[in-house]
Amino acid sequence: MPKNLKQLSESEVRLTGGHRLCPGCGEPIAVRQVLMGTEDPVIVVSATGCTEVSTTIFPYTAWACPWLHIAFENAGAAVSGVEAMYKAKLARAAKGETLPDYIPADKPYKFVAFAGDGGTYDIGLQSLSGAAERRQQFLYVCLNNEAYMNTGVQRSSATPMGMNTTTSPAGSVLPGKTVHRKDLTEIMVAHEMPYVAQCGVSRWRDLVGCAEKAFAVDGPTFINCLTPCPLGWIHDSSKTVEIGQLASDCCIWPLYEVVDGKYKLNYRPKEKKPVDEYLKAQGRFRHLFKDESGAEMRRKMQEWVDYKWEQLLKKCAEE
Amino acid sequence: MPEIKPMEGNQAVAEAMRQINPDVVAAYPITPSTEVVQTFSSFVANGLVDTNYVAVESEHSAMSACTAAAVAGGRVMNATSSQGLALMWEILYITASLRAPVILTVVNRALSGNINIHCDHSDGMGARDCGWVQLYGENVQEGYDNLLQAVRIGEALDVRLPVMNCIDGFLVSHSYELLQVEDDAPVKDFVGPYQAVNPLLDISHPISIGPLDLWDYYFEHKRGQCDAYPPAKEAILAVGKEFGKTFGREYGLMEEFMLEDAELAVVALGSTAGVAKVAVESLREDGVKAGLLKLRAFRPFPAAEIAAALQGKKAIAVFDRAISFGAASGPLFSEVAAALYTAGQQIPALSVLYGLGGREITPEQISGVFRQLPEVASGGQPADPVLFLGVRE
Ligand SMILES: Cc1ncc(C[n+]2csc(CCOP(=O)(O)OP(=O)(O)O)c2C)c(N)n1
């Protein structure tokens, strides 16, 4: 049952304040809401990236739950290693060995990996794919700000077409990134994971609810969460949630879930807004509003969004 | 009763793993270590172990999962070779830095390119600076014995380091030799239960492992890590002694073969030591005072002990089965020479590079090197102290 705000405000704080992420960063919003999805003990694994570096600058840590970081491209493997050890200890206990006293027998653990889009769509895809295929029990959350933000806004394969990044800069010849992003959520659906969802930070009930459902599954689950980045997307730090909402209102980032292969749209905007409205709100697309070639690219974006949205509606059996 | 039976090196390693019965194994196949993983998988499939076997999709993930599982709080093992070890390279440093006592059998094999599946030590030498303990075994028995000891060495509370159990690809991994397989019960007693230190799975004492560590603390942490290696040396000695008491085969940091009264000596790692013993014995019959220093522990490097063992020798040859490209000599030579220099010993020395990509090394070749040493001893040191042995020039 999705909790109300009052209940959520009373839930255990696992990522505390005092971390050093930018004001308005979408990542800690997503992390906190996801972690509100369970009351069970949680072990968190992070990939290298903004959240990892900003929450654990030695000798400080913002994590009130056990937390592990090994490297950039291995969150899938790392979370499966921790889970494997936990399961090994339980299995041995079931055979008569004593369970270590630091593992309470009556509280099943949950395992969550948080990784950026770089750590997920690109360099960490193999590790995630392997862990998903092995059917280990974990929730993997992609904190998707559509570029490598920790290293200074380089393009990733999650970067949308037209975005100005430091490795796909908008120049006099090239209009920012020239190709569409890959559809990672569908790639994870194709892994036939028991639960896959695409979420954002503007609808807490949706994100916490999806996390709850994911945590309830005994198997690998995946949430792709769009986390606006004021620095890289170039918007005011007070606009993070609004921009996130706009992404879903123009259907460039639909909110949906796939439970055992069955699609369900989790948010349908009353009125589908033009993509231009979303693009206009962010400095990363500013160059697309200067000339005819920019306008052409915006038309292409709209066409692509329309096409993907229609496909999704069909999959969700929506009219 | 311990049983003596013919076994290949890989089977012996898998057998030791069965007896150790680790909590987690995460592994990926590569020649010539594949059979370790295969044999162990069959133990899992047949319920002979309680291990949670994670069939990962790469060696990078294997070492990531092993490291994560170890810091979670339990005993973790794995095996690999060559490209597999190279792919793990990024994580190897992290395993050691997190003080995760993962035990990895490295079946030594040449590194690409060009691709070659046979023995040399390029893989192990490439990983020499990553913070792992490295033991090199000469034969099947040592591959088995070293693995049992590796658990105790790595898990010692003042050590807490990952350990590589290195054996030579094909030469040991695929050679049948008579192995003394100890009984399960004494092995289990010898390795003992796993003692967790700050396990990640301790939910009531949450800790953050692997934080961002900048100019203000990183150096102290690296310096602190250095303090683990002298105890590791002590642990190798203590565990080797206890192993001798328990099973009758004692081990140290090195083995000295006819070395004490030798005037000329060879230093070598791995199965080549066995070949060198044949050469030394036949030279002794000819009245040549030859001896061998077989190094077992390459990391931590027993510099002072090596210098002491070689003291007074007239000339030595250090055998390297790996090239450190662009360096003045082989990697083992460099470290032995540094050890001697630091100890104030000026022994004329040859750096011998041999056996790359599985090229055979014979007792005759080693005897040939010994026969060059008197000239080296009498000041006839060649301008280039690096000798390529057994290569077509
Ligand atoms: C193997 C490796 N390659 C590159 C890097 C450098 N690096 C660190 S974080 C990062 C980008 C992270 O981007 P993303 O995963 O999207 O997360 P974000 O910082 O945006 O949250 C890169 C390229 C690294 N640490 N390791």
Side-chain angles (χ1 to χ4, degrees):
Chain A
M1 260 304 283
K3 295 186 196 124
N4 62 36
L5 274 179
K6 181 168 181 299
Q7 289 165 316
L8 288 182
S9 72
E10 287 159 359
S11 58
E12 191 185 334
V13 176
R14 283 154 172 148
L15 175 62
T16 64
H19 59 70
R20 298 188 220 177
L21 282 153
C22 301
C25 176
E27 293 194 0
I29 304 175
V31 169
R32 284 159 155 270
Q33 292 187 9
V34 165
L35 294 178
M36 283 173 184
T38 181
E39 281 164 16
D40 292 331
V42 176
I43 312 268
V44 172
V45 172
S46 285
T48 311
C50 287
T51 290
E52 171 265 327
V53 300
S54 306
T55 55
T56 63
I57 306 177
F58 191 88
Y60 304 104
T61 180
W63 295 93
C65 60
W67 177 89
L68 171 68
H69 160 250
I70 298 182
F72 184 24
E73 67 288 68
N74 64 358
V79 78
S80 60
V82 178
E83 188 257 11
M85 183 55 74
Y86 177 68
K87 291 283 163 77
K89 296 288 184 196
L90 291 191
R92 281 171 188 254
K95 281 187 176 174
E97 280 184 37
T98 43
L99 193 63
D101 54 9
Y102 50 81
I103 301 177
D106 55 338
K107 290 185 196 155
Y109 283 22
K110 299 287 188 274
F111 303 90
V112 196
F114 291 106
D117 49 288
T120 306
Y121 281 64
D122 291 341
I123 200 166
L125 183 58
Q126 173 184 320
S127 166
L128 167 60
S129 175
E133 185 263 343
R134 292 190 297 272
R135 286 299 185 263
Q136 291 186 255
Q137 181 227 315
F138 61 85
L139 165 60
Y140 187 109
V141 180
C142 176
L143 302 171
N144 182 357
N145 51 26
E146 301 190 320
Y148 303 165
M149 296 311 184
N150 183 48
T151 41
V153 202
Q154 294 85 26
R155 62 93 88 187
S156 77
S157 60
T159 301
M161 185 161 88
M163 178 174 172
N164 179 22
T165 76
T166 54
T167 51
S168 63
S172 56
V173 179
L174 293 176
K177 195 183 174 209
T178 55
V179 290
H180 286 302
R181 67 182 179 221
K182 81 167 69 137
D183 195 339
L184 184 74
T185 308
E186 290 302 306
I187 292 171
M188 297 327 293
V189 171
H191 281 71
E192 300 181 343
M193 296 170 90
Y195 186 84
V196 173
Q198 192 163 285
C199 299
V201 293
S202 64
R203 308 185 72 76
W204 58 267
R205 201 187 295 274
D206 180 61
L207 181 51
V208 177
C210 287
E212 271 180 14
K213 284 182 238 176
F215 279 125
V217 171
D218 183 15
T221 56
F222 177 77
I223 292 178
N224 193 352
C225 186
L226 192 72
T227 52
C229 167
L231 192 81
W233 293 18
I234 314 178
H235 60 72
D236 191 85
S237 58
S238 66
K239 300 276 185 229
T240 303
V241 172
E242 253 172 65
I243 301 246
Q245 179 60 31
L246 207 46
S248 299
D249 281 337
C250 76
C251 303
I252 198 169
W253 192 259
L255 308 182
Y256 68 101
E257 65 186 4
V258 184
V259 186
D260 292 323
K262 210 171 162 345
Y263 282 74
K264 181 172 165 284
L265 200 61
N266 283 342
Y267 172 69
R268 183 152 190 175
K270 284 196 187 68
E271 171 211 357
K272 181 166 170 263
K273 294 193 169 156
V275 173
D276 269 0
E277 220 174 288
Y278 174 68
L279 302 179
K280 224 176 354 198
Q282 304 166 63
R284 60 175 172 157
F285 298 114
R286 188 181 299 132
H287 57 286
L288 299 180
F289 290 87
K290 286 197 179 126
D291 55 20
E292 183 44 37
S293 72
E296 173 59 23
M297 181 153 262
R298 287 187 281 116
R299 275 195 293 278
K300 271 199 217 157
M301 299 263 294
Q302 184 67 60
E303 257 172 47
W304 174 76
V305 167
D306 292 345
Y307 169 76
K308 296 286 286 181
W309 177 244
E310 289 305 318
Q311 296 278 309
L312 181 65
L313 288 182
K314 271 186 218 147
K315 286 178 189 164
C316 298
E318 297 243 353
E319 291 299 304
Chain B
M1 274 294 286
E3 226 186 314
I4 296 190
K5 47 182 170 188
M7 268 209 192
E8 288 179 318
N10 280 340
Q11 295 168 348
V13 165
E15 178 66 4
M17 287 171 72
R18 181 191 66 71
Q19 295 182 307
I20 294 165
N21 193 8
D23 294 301
V24 171
V25 167
Y28 191 83
I30 179 167
T31 304
S33 61
T34 305
E35 202 186 354
V36 173
V37 179
Q38 285 173 339
T39 310
F40 192 78
S41 308
S42 77
F43 295 155
V44 175
N46 293 302
L48 300 182
V49 286
D50 307 309
T51 306
N52 191 351
Y53 183 86
V54 188
V56 284
E57 82 301 328
S58 73
E59 288 89 350
H60 193 283
S61 285
M63 193 42 67
S64 299
C66 282
T67 303
V71 299
R75 197 166 271 159
V76 179
M77 304 183 89
N78 184 5
T80 194
S81 300
S82 178
Q83 305 309 112
L85 188 66
L87 190 57
M88 288 176 184
W89 193 78
E90 181 198 25
I91 308 303
L92 294 176
Y93 280 77
I94 302 171
T95 315
S97 300
L98 297 184
R99 309 294 290 272
V102 174
I103 309 297
L104 175 70
T105 291
V106 176
V107 180
N108 293 111
R109 159 183 157 181
L111 287 174
S112 300
N114 300 331
I115 190 166
N116 176 299
I117 57 169
H118 293 284
C119 177
D120 68 39
H121 295 156
S122 308
D123 51 3
M125 287 297 143
R128 69 185 183 271
D129 292 337
C130 63
W132 287 55
V133 172
Q134 283 193 342
L135 302 177
Y136 284 81
E138 176 187 329
N139 50 37
V140 173
Q141 188 73 53
E142 292 191 5
Y144 172 86
D145 291 352
N146 284 349
L147 190 56
L148 299 182
Q149 292 169 71
V151 175
R152 291 281 304 280
I153 296 163
E155 291 176 12
L157 289 176
D158 54 351
V159 178
R160 301 309 278 197
L161 287 172
V163 184
M164 289 185 198
N165 169 41
C166 304
I167 55 170
D168 283 352
F170 290 104
L171 300 167
V172 176
S173 68
H174 289 64
S175 288
Y176 274 94
E177 291 174 16
L178 286 179
L179 175 75
Q180 172 150 340
V181 183
E182 303 300 340
D183 286 337
D184 287 1
V187 168
K188 195 173 169 205
D189 283 350
F190 180 80
V191 295
Y194 183 82
Q195 232 180 309
V197 177
N198 299 323
L200 188 70
L201 291 176
D202 184 349
I203 204 74
S204 45
H205 299 96
I207 53 169
S208 295
I209 301 179
L212 180 67
D213 202 7
L214 299 173
W215 59 86
D216 46 356
Y217 285 97
Y218 179 88
F219 199 1
E220 280 70 28
H221 290 143
K222 293 291 115 181
R223 175 66 190 82
Q225 190 181 332
C226 293
D227 289 341
Y229 299 90
K233 209 159 80 175
E234 294 310 314
I236 292 169
L237 288 167
V239 172
K241 208 171 223 116
E242 192 188 323
F243 192 84
K245 271 204 202 114
T246 314
F247 300 115
R249 296 178 298 282
E250 190 175 316
Y251 288 87
L253 299 162
M254 61 186 83
E255 180 189 334
E256 297 176 33
F257 184 80
M258 301 193 176
L259 190 64
E260 203 173 349
D261 66 337
E263 292 175 345
L264 310 172
V266 152
V267 182
L269 293 171
S271 65
T272 303
V275 184
K277 285 174 184 170
V278 177
V280 165
E281 274 176 339
S282 77
L283 286 165
R284 286 274 175 167
E285 279 169 23
D286 298 346
V288 180
K289 287 200 155 179
L292 165 74
L293 191 162
K294 174 180 102 180
L295 195 57
R296 175 173 180 244
F298 183 70
R299 285 288 182 268
F301 191 75
E305 291 83 352
I306 289 172
L310 294 176
Q311 189 166 26
K313 306 302 166 209
K314 291 190 172 153
I316 61 165
V318 182
F319 276 58
D320 269 289
R321 203 165 198 151
I323 297 180
S324 176
F325 291 104
S329 58
L332 180 57
F333 178 93
S334 306
E335 303 220 9
V336 170
L340 295 176
Y341 181 87
T342 311
Q345 288 170 232
Q346 185 74 41
I347 302 177
L350 274 184
S351 169
V352 180
L353 301 178
Y354 76 99
L356 291 204
R359 179 63 53 86
E360 195 184 11
I361 176 88
T362 64
E364 292 70 34
Q365 285 173 316
I366 297 178
S367 296
V369 172
F370 268 113
R371 293 198 191 280
Q372 287 187 41
L373 286 182
E375 200 191 328
V376 174
S378 59
Q381 182 126 6
D384 184 357
V386 178
L387 175 80
F388 282 87
L389 186 65
V391 73
R392 292 187 296 275
E393 296 280 3

